[in-house]
Every structure is written in C-alpha cells, then in structure tokens.
Amino acid sequence: MNRDILEFNRNLPAGRREICDLLSTEIQSFFKDLPDAENKLWHGAPVWFLNGNPIVGYDSLKNCVRLLFWSGQSFNEPSLQPEGSFKAAEVRYENLDKIKVDELAAWLKKAKDIQWDYKNIVKRRGVLERLS
C-alpha cells in the first residue's frame, strides 16, 4: 500500500484511524492481485484506481469517515447514499463497529465490475460513459 495512505491514517484521531485502517486493509486486500490497480492520495484522500479510473476511496470528515464509490449509484445498494451530481455513492462511519466487512466486500466486487469512466470525464466535457 502507498506510504502516503499509511501516513494519512496515522495522522488521524484514534477513532477515525481505526476505521481508516480497517477500510484500507480490506480495500487493499481486495485489489492487491489486480495488475492494473494502484492506490495513492488523490485530492488529499486515499483512493484506489483500476486502469487510472477512480474506484473507491475514503476521507476523514469532521465527525466521521466517508467511504466513497465513484460508480456506487449503479450498485443498487440501499446502504449507499447518492453523492454529487454524477454516479458516486457513499456511506459514513462514526464507529468501527458499524462497518460490515461482508457488505464492504460485496461493494468492492461491484466496484470492480461496475464502472463509469471518470478518468476521461474532463475530455468528454462532463459526460460519463459506462465502462462495464
């Protein structure tokens, strides 16, 4: 995993650090065997990419950790809430015990299988195309 992500997590207050450590471990475990996967801090937050396309990331907000799936609105998952004006969806965690690892694993699988092309959104002047 990218050192910047580890440092990001280390610099968080204890409760949020535990949440982010669990999220990063689960996400990294899922993506570790995919040759086209990468992870880095992007716009100041940890993000995982496939073929240069953002897939999943998280950020520490004032009172919680937000887990964001760039194509999450297409997952048809009631626990994920729409975010923004494109296809992203999020869930917010205030406590570590709210994270359901099996649910997270299912979302990660969908994130790999269902993708919108955010990588080329600027080139397409704000128009998203479905990749898979």
Side-chain angles (χ1 to χ4, degrees), residues 57-121:
Y58 59 83
D59 198 6
S60 176
L61 304 178
K62 184 175 181 180
N63 295 318
C64 65
V65 172
R66 174 180 50 195
L67 177 66
L68 182 74
F69 291 93
W70 268 255
S71 300
Q73 288 183 33
S74 298
F75 298 176
N76 295 318
E77 292 284 345
S79 298
L80 295 174
Q81 301 301 308
E83 166 60 26
S85 58
F86 292 106
K87 301 292 183 185
E90 68 174 23
V91 63
R92 295 182 181 208
Y93 298 112
E94 294 174 1
N95 301 317
L96 185 64
D97 61 346
K98 298 293 182 188
I99 299 173
K100 299 175 186 168
V101 175
D102 56 334
E103 184 176 55
L104 176 58
W107 294 340
L108 289 168
K109 183 177 179 337
K110 287 184 178 186
K112 178 180 161 278
D113 296 337
I114 301 169
Q115 292 182 45
W116 289 84
D117 187 8
Y118 283 91
K119 177 179 158 183
N120 295 303
I121 195 168

Side-chain angles (χ1 to χ4, degrees), residues 32-47:
K32 72 178 170 136
D33 294 327
L34 298 173
D36 55 347
E38 66 175 307
N39 57 78
K40 61 185 175 183
L41 286 187
W42 192 50
H43 301 288
V47 177

